Amino acid sequence: MRRLMPAAVMLLVAIAILPAIADKAKTDYDKGSDAEARENYETAYEFYKQAYDLKPKDLRYKSSFERLRFKAAATIVHHGILLRDQGKLQEALGEFQKAAFIDPSLFAAQQELKRTQKMIDDINNPPPQAAGPPTGIERRLRDAAGPVELAAISTVPITVKLTEDSKVIYQTIGQLAGINVLFDYDYTSRRIKVELNGVTLEEALKITALESKTFWRPVTANTIFVAQDNAAKRKELEQSVLKTFYLSNLSAPTELQDVVNAIRAVLDVQRVQQLLSQNALVVRGTPDQIALAEKLVDDLDKARPEVVVDIAVLQVSKDRSRTLGFLPPSSATVTLQSNINTSTTSTTSTTGTTSTGSSAGGLELNTLGNLNATDFQVSIGAANLSAVMGDSDTKMLQNPQVRALDNQKATLKIGERVPVATGSFQPGIGGVGINPLVNTQFQYLDVGVNIDVTPHVHADREVTLKITMEISSVVGQSSIGGISQPIIGQKKIEHEIRLADGEPSLIGGIFDDSSTRSLSGIPGLASIPILKYLFGQTTQDKSQDETVFAITPHIIRAAGVSELNQRPIDIGTASTIELRHVSHATPPAAAGQTAAAQAPAGQVPGASAPAPNPAVAAAAAPNFLFDPGQITAVKGNTFVVNLMISGAQNIYSVPVQMNYDMTKLQLVNISSGGFLAQDGQAVAVVHREDETTGALLITATRPPGSGGVSGQGTVVTLTFQAKASGQTPLTITRGGALDPTQKSITVNGAQASVTVQ
């Protein structure tokens, strides 16, 4: 007994729990059905899932759980998009994660999840500025180098104002950038004027090329080669690189040909070969053309969007009939009785045999005078009293789903295929029951629900649907040439509509309404309003047949278009395809590299040279000074101050650093003074503002090979705008000069006072 007790207790517990589990599963299933009827698909999915978890072997629970998986996930994705549009990125991210967990096959959830995560990452951690396009070219035999690229040069904004020979301008900018400049033997130099404010050194090179109608290409990381800009020279000197693009989404020959045509027509690349066996493209062109071809391939090689279309076909038939009234006899028949024309005959033969017979003949003339009422029979038709009413209601619902690719036709057929005879045939020969067929053929017609849908997904998550929907059935038979042919009733809708993702629409309603009324009875009496129910009978038949089509599109894979795919890119001119790279500001530490070609080794450009012997410095050191030294400005107005030098000897370049309160003053312009240009030479002025330290770096330099100047005068003229009231000093914190041999010359600093009212 002790051993049996635990087993008995467990059995009793199981008997008590199992019905409860079954009831709980059925309750959850019923709740899910109610939620689905209210189109609350997420709640319905949760209830169906609970029922399925309790009884996983019940196919009814499993089918409902699997069926609602997609609708619930699509609803959650739609809600997540609304949250994201409202700026609630974290909440939207949670919705997309939930949808991806419910239905991993819903690619739209994965796409929106990645897109939202990228938006969050870009806000929290802005992507670093690109250092320039990568080579991206496969190295041949591991030792082959990619296209030559110019090493990163300073991106400090400079001011260049020169009117000089183009070769001199190239060499001046090259010296500032620390790069070598080589010229083609056919290069023709001419005098041009260049006035640039706030441009980088690379931009200055490009603008100079544009102004002088030349072009340059990198030969090494620190050397450029300049030549005349014409088709022959570009073909001779431009780099040529090769790359193979493997397409992952486009595979049809026409799709590959479309990409090839786009590369040839847009980028003017003639050497493009498609390889159908590898689903690849081989492209040869300049580095910029290859980079643009890679962008085009990324733009066009996209997975096609996919759409699931929920289709509801509802047929409702209603028939009502009513028969009411008393139908009296409408006919009477009078006939003669049979005993009038009956006679009896008796015959006796010699053999002793006697026979008696009767014969029925026509009416004898001698009996006409003896006819009376008993000789006639009268037959009167039956009377009919009817009070009958009939009402029938029939519904037929079909709810299929169609999944289709963008711009691809999808077909759904539900029903039967009915054979129909075609060709020539004849009913028979000579009335004999022979019915030979002559070249008779049969074709099969699809009878039932036939749906053809072609979706097109738009960028704004709307879908255009081209739909043909047909409901047909065999309504009868017709004999043609002795062959029974079906009569097919048809209801068809064919049109094109545009809907938002998840938007239901009633796209067609076919309504047939027929009414029949008949009256029978005694003429005259049956038409009297009150007596018509006693002497007549009224029958009314009413029939209604309605067919409704409703569709709801769901985008399960949207077009994966990124910001780069939509961003316009400068690709040069109509005759020359090239990329223009964005220049990014360099950190202050890199600013000193701008004048690397001018500064002696081991010395930071723009800084004061090491202090020489004090006795020598006292005797020969030149001085900086501001003119005027005391400045009063009105808030919002501009003012001019000159940076001057006195006692200078053999000065070639002047690098200085000055500090001021950038909250009170704003630099408007810097122009060259007359000191360095006293012999008519063009002076290059480079400047950069460092807002983090409040420093202004200025370098004024004479052209290469022009020698130095001496004396006194204005080095540069600065124009400021007064921003805020207050007082700020304008101080030279580091200053000096260089002679033509790049030897440092000590220059004493200066200070001015600015008051903003």
Side-chain angles (χ1 to χ4, degrees):
M1 290 297 292
R2 292 179 179 176
R3 295 178 180 178
L4 293 177
M5 283 298 293
V9 171
M10 294 178 64
L11 180 61
L12 291 175
V13 171
I15 293 174
I17 291 177
L18 289 178
I21 294 176
D23 292 340
K24 180 65 167 58
K26 186 176 184 307
T27 301
D28 291 339
Y29 177 80
D30 293 339
K31 291 180 179 179
S33 299
D34 294 339
E36 183 180 2
R38 294 191 299 271
E39 297 185 355
N40 190 351
Y41 299 121
E42 184 178 356
T43 304
Y45 169 79
E46 295 296 335
F47 282 122
Y48 284 149
K49 186 177 184 302
Q50 294 175 14
Y52 170 72
D53 291 340
L54 292 173
K55 297 187 69 176
K57 294 183 179 181
D58 194 315
L59 295 180
R60 180 179 56 174
Y61 299 159
K62 182 177 181 180
S63 62
S64 299
F65 161 67
E66 295 291 345
R67 178 170 51 83
L68 262 292
R69 182 191 296 269
F70 164 75
K71 289 186 177 181
T75 302
I76 296 173
V77 168
H78 182 69
H79 184 231
I81 293 175
L82 295 179
L83 290 174
R84 188 178 62 192
D85 293 341
Q86 297 171 5
K88 303 176 181 179
L89 298 182
Q90 290 294 344
E91 297 180 20
L93 183 67
E95 292 294 293
F96 296 140
Q97 290 174 342
K98 185 194 299 184
F101 176 76
I102 291 177
D103 189 359
S105 66
L106 186 61
F107 297 101
Q110 303 288 348
Q111 289 176 328
E112 301 299 339
L113 177 62
K114 294 179 181 178
R115 186 176 303 171
T116 307
Q117 185 63 59
K118 184 178 183 302
M119 294 172 65
I120 295 175
D121 293 341
D122 290 344
I123 293 176
N124 297 334
N125 302 305
Q129 300 292 345
T135 60
I137 308 300
E138 294 292 338
R139 287 179 171 83
R140 182 172 56 90
L141 300 178
R142 295 186 178 182
D143 293 332
V148 178
E149 292 185 358
L150 194 63
I153 59 179
S154 174
T155 56
V156 176
I158 65 172
T159 298
V160 179
K161 295 184 179 181
L162 295 171
T163 302
E164 190 55 79
D165 186 88
S166 58
K167 276 189 176 182
V168 174
I169 296 177
Y170 266 120
Q171 291 172 342
T172 301
I173 299 175
Q175 187 173 10
L176 293 175
I179 60 176
N180 304 312
V181 182
L182 305 178
F183 295 92
D184 183 60
Y185 68 93
D186 288 334
Y187 180 81
T188 301
S189 180
R190 63 189 184 93
R191 189 177 182 86
I192 62 174
K193 181 179 181 180
V194 177
E195 292 188 5
L196 305 175
N197 294 314
V199 298
T200 65
L201 291 170
E202 186 172 356
E203 290 173 343
L205 286 174
K206 291 184 177 180
I207 296 173
T208 302
L210 182 64
E211 183 73 18
S212 61
K213 298 187 182 304
T214 59
F215 78 99
W216 57 270
R217 56 153 291 188
V219 179
T220 65
N222 65 341
T223 305
I224 63 173
F225 190 84
V226 182
Q228 209 67 32
D229 191 0
N230 54 60
K233 283 297 179 181
R234 282 192 174 271
K235 185 176 181 180
E236 176 185 346
L237 299 175
E238 282 279 19
Q239 299 182 72
S240 183
V241 293
L242 180 73
K243 183 169 182 179
T244 302
F245 298 95
Y246 293 92
L247 281 67
S248 58
N249 296 295
L250 305 181
S251 58
T254 56
E255 296 174 339
L256 291 176
Q257 188 61 46
D258 289 342
V259 178
V260 172
N261 294 339
I263 293 176
R264 286 176 176 171
V266 177
L267 303 181
D268 197 22
V269 178
Q270 301 302 323
R271 298 180 180 181
V272 183
Q273 181 64 43
Q274 57 177 322
L275 303 176
L276 298 179
S277 60
Q278 299 294 325
N279 199 34
L281 301 177
V282 180
V283 184
R284 177 184 173 185
T286 65
D288 287 347
Q289 287 176 326
I290 295 299
L292 290 170
E294 186 168 1
K295 179 189 183 305
L296 273 183
V297 170
D298 182 65
D299 293 344
L300 301 177
D301 186 24
K302 300 290 186 182
R304 286 192 176 185
E306 287 188 76
V307 180
V308 169
V309 183
D310 286 332
I311 302 174
V313 181
L314 178 64
Q315 272 189 303
V316 179
S317 299
K318 293 183 179 181
D319 295 312
R320 293 182 181 181
S321 63
R322 187 190 69 177
T323 303
L324 182 62
F326 177 77
L327 186 62
S330 59
S331 63
T333 305
V334 180
T335 58
L336 292 173
Q337 292 286 2
S338 59
N339 57 359
I340 296 177
N341 55 4
T342 300
S343 62
T344 302
T345 304
S346 179
T347 306
T348 303
S349 64
T350 57
T351 59
T353 302
T354 302
S355 61
T356 303
S358 63
S359 62
L363 182 64
E364 297 178 356
L365 292 177
N366 58 0
T367 61
L368 290 177
N370 300 323
L371 292 177
N372 54 33
T374 61
D375 295 325
F376 294 92
Q377 181 179 0
V378 180
S379 299
I380 301 175
N384 186 13
L385 177 62
S386 298
V388 180
M389 181 177 180
D391 190 356
S392 63
D393 192 350
T394 304
K395 293 182 180 179
M396 182 184 70
L397 177 63
Q398 292 181 336
N399 189 16
Q401 284 186 341
V402 178
R403 179 168 178 168
L405 285 172
D406 184 46
N407 292 325
Q408 295 295 312
K409 179 181 176 181
T411 300
L412 175 66
K413 299 181 184 295
I414 302 175
E416 301 174 345
R417 305 198 72 193
V418 178
V420 177
T422 61
S424 302
F425 54 90
Q426 58 187 21
I429 300 176
V432 184
I434 302 175
N435 189 20
L437 303 180
V438 181
N439 295 330
T440 301
Q441 300 175 351
F442 289 88
Q443 68 177 7
Y444 288 84
L445 301 180
D446 295 312
V447 177
V449 178
N450 301 320
I451 301 171
D452 293 333
V453 56
T454 303
H456 175 66
V457 180
H458 300 277
D460 54 357
R461 298 193 65 83
E462 291 189 350
V463 184
T464 294
L465 298 174
K466 185 177 181 181
I467 301 175
T468 301
M469 304 182 69
E470 174 188 312
I471 294 181
S472 57
S473 62
V474 178
V475 296
Q477 297 289 331
S478 176
S479 179
I480 302 176
I483 297 180
S484 180
Q485 297 278 59
I487 300 175
I488 299 175
Q490 186 183 61
K491 297 177 180 178
K492 185 176 181 180
I493 293 179
E494 183 174 356
H495 65 169
E496 189 169 345
I497 59 174
R498 180 165 176 168
L499 299 172
D501 180 23
E503 176 186 359
S505 175
L506 181 68
I507 64 170
I510 302 175
F511 185 75
D512 296 331
D513 190 355
S514 62
S515 179
T516 305
R517 183 178 182 275
S518 61
L519 174 65
S520 60
I522 298 176
L525 296 177
S527 301
I528 300 175
I530 298 177
L531 298 180
K532 66 179 181 180
Y533 296 107
L534 298 177
F535 298 98
Q537 191 175 79
T538 302
T539 301
Q540 290 184 345
D541 294 323
K542 189 171 183 180
S543 170
Q544 292 181 343
D545 188 4
E546 184 176 9
T547 303
V548 177
F549 300 90
I551 65 168
T552 304
H554 300 282
I555 300 176
I556 61 173
R557 187 202 301 269
V561 180
S562 64
E563 184 273 336
L564 181 61
N565 300 142
Q566 300 180 354
R567 181 163 58 92
I569 295 178
D570 183 0
I571 62 171
T573 64
S575 59
T576 304
I577 302 295
E578 60 182 357
L579 286 174
R580 181 178 62 84
H581 306 296
V582 178
S583 299
H584 305 286
T586 55
Q593 300 174 2
T594 303
Q598 306 173 17
Q603 178 179 338
V604 178
S608 299
N613 188 299
V616 177
N623 298 306
F624 283 123
L625 67 151
F626 288 105
D627 181 28
Q630 300 289 331
I631 304 167
T632 301
V634 179
K635 179 180 177 182
N637 292 348
T638 59
F639 63 91
V640 176
V641 60
N642 297 317
L643 174 62
M644 304 183 66
I645 191 171
S646 63
Q649 297 292 328
N650 198 22
I651 301 298
Y652 170 77
S653 176
V654 179
V656 296
Q657 174 180 316
M658 62 181 64
N659 284 65
Y660 57 91
D661 190 348
M662 292 188 176
T663 62
K664 295 181 173 60
L665 301 181
Q666 179 179 352
L667 180 66
V668 177
N669 184 43
I670 296 180
S671 60
S672 174
F675 173 71
L676 294 177
Q678 57 186 264
D679 57 351
Q681 295 291 334
V683 177
V685 179
V686 181
H687 74 275
R688 181 178 70 86
E689 288 185 280
D690 187 353
E691 296 182 357
T692 59
T693 61
L696 173 62
L697 303 177
I698 304 174
T699 301
T701 306
R702 288 169 56 82
S706 60
V709 295
S710 303
Q712 64 180 8
T714 301
V715 179
V716 291
T717 300
L718 300 94
T719 303
F720 292 94
Q721 181 181 21
K723 294 172 57 178
S725 301
Q727 188 174 14
T728 176
L730 190 60
T731 306
I732 296 178
T733 56
R734 291 189 299 176
L738 301 174
D739 64 11
T741 63
Q742 301 298 313
K743 181 179 179 181
S744 297
I745 300 174
T746 302
V747 181
N748 297 323
Q751 184 175 6
S753 176
V754 180
T755 303
V756 180
Q757 298 177 348

